[in-house]
Amino acid sequence: ILDFNDTKIPGVPISYRFNGDRLRLGFESMMLTSDPGPFAPARAAAQRTQTRANLKLIALGMHAYHGAHKALPAAALTDIVGAGAKPLLSWRVAILPFIEQGELYRQFKLDEPWDSEHNKKLIEKMPAAFRTPGAPNAKPGMTHYQVFVGPGTAFEPRNDRRHGRTFLEFPDGTDTLLVVEGTNAVLWTKPDDLPFDPKQPLPKVGLDADSIDVAFASPAVISLPRTIAANELKALITRNGNETVGAIKPVGISDAP
């Protein structure tokens, strides 16, 4: 806590570790109170920065998974390949080895569902990368980071293999959404994401009043404006719709080229 002229400023908890010649910082989740004080904007900015860092790590983890398996993870790990497959665990479990969580990944029984006697004990071990800083009423094991699942999406199910789509199946290019911040939280190990039907209204996304934090297949991370038209957002969700999307001005900080 810093003290300037009797004004107390809450500190930002930070963890750090070295990764080769790089120093990696991690900002702990921070919650705004009902009386956030004069430094609420700075704290909110720190939360958004951490959200983007989480999305970037998740998107890079998906790229690493693709590099290892020649395909993205399926939205759900299943018991069998083909029709009638039963969803067991989320893609969030599948990418654990690629976000430096290999030890946790090895603790899962991949042939059992997320709520089996064994696997449900691991819900409380959710990695910090899946924790949304500043999320209202945050509960242990709940995450807002989700993918769209449905026709034409990056995670449209395939019944002929355990893995998901390849980037070769993205004729619309890398300006296709991979991960978004959903409005409603889900259990991180449960195969529970955002259903997409191009003919139906979009599911609720985003926590901020002005923006929606997303990661693209590129894998750029930006904050889309809340004012984005539904047809433009649908165009970003689909990987093969052949739509034309106009220039979208990100809100706030962006790592988009």
Side-chain angles (χ1 to χ4, degrees):
I1 297 177
L2 303 179
D3 191 347
F4 293 106
N5 298 325
D6 298 325
T7 300
K8 303 273 185 195
I9 305 176
V12 179
I14 301 175
S15 61
Y16 70 91
R17 61 184 176 79
F18 289 97
N19 184 5
D21 60 351
R22 295 184 179 184
L23 175 65
R24 176 169 290 179
L25 299 178
F27 297 87
E28 296 294 331
S29 177
M30 297 169 292
M31 296 298 295
L32 292 177
T33 65
S34 58
D35 183 20
F39 301 99
R43 181 172 290 191
Q47 292 171 348
R48 292 183 65 179
T49 297
Q50 182 58 45
T51 289
R52 294 189 184 102
N54 290 346
L55 284 168
K56 188 70 172 183
L57 179 60
I58 293 170
L60 290 174
M62 288 186 173
H63 272 260
Y65 184 103
H66 191 288
H69 298 289
K70 311 305 180 187
L72 289 168
L77 304 180
T78 58
D79 55 347
I80 62 171
V81 175
K86 178 182 178 182
L88 300 178
L89 292 159
S90 168
W91 59 269
R92 291 173 283 266
V93 174
I95 68 168
L96 286 176
F98 304 97
I99 58 171
E100 302 180 347
Q101 294 290 331
E103 182 178 350
L104 177 57
Y105 177 78
R106 289 187 288 272
Q107 295 178 43
F108 280 90
K109 291 187 177 180
L110 302 181
D111 59 346
E112 295 184 2
W114 65 275
D115 57 351
S116 71
E117 194 64 29
H118 174 84
N119 286 340
K120 68 181 180 181
K121 297 175 183 177
L122 301 175
I123 293 175
E124 63 185 25
K125 296 186 178 184
M126 184 178 76
F130 296 136
R131 188 181 308 127
T132 308
N137 304 316
K139 296 180 180 179
M142 303 294 286
T143 182
H144 288 269
Y145 301 127
Q146 299 167 58
V147 301
F148 286 99
V149 181
T153 66
F155 293 88
E156 180 179 0
R158 290 194 59 153
N159 293 324
D160 58 339
R161 63 186 182 201
R162 292 194 179 278
H163 305 298
R165 301 282 163 174
T166 74
F167 286 131
L168 294 176
E169 297 176 80
F170 283 51
D172 285 356
T174 56
D175 288 336
T176 300
L177 293 181
L178 278 187
V179 189
V180 302
E181 191 178 60
T183 302
N184 299 314
V186 297
L187 283 167
W188 77 279
T189 58
K190 184 178 180 180
D192 187 5
D193 286 278
L194 299 166
F196 175 76
D197 183 335
K199 298 179 181 179
Q200 298 296 326
L202 290 168
K204 294 181 179 179
V205 292
L207 293 175
D208 189 81
D210 301 316
S211 62
I212 306 165
D213 292 318
V214 302
F216 287 91
S218 47
V221 173
I222 70 172
S223 292
L224 297 174
R226 274 281 180 192
T227 53
I228 184 172
N231 65 312
E232 289 189 324
L233 185 53
K234 287 182 178 181
L236 296 175
I237 293 170
T238 56
R239 69 182 198 284
N240 57 1
N242 196 32
E243 306 97 338
T244 299
V245 181
I248 298 174
K249 185 178 180 179
V251 177
I253 302 172
S254 167
D255 75 349

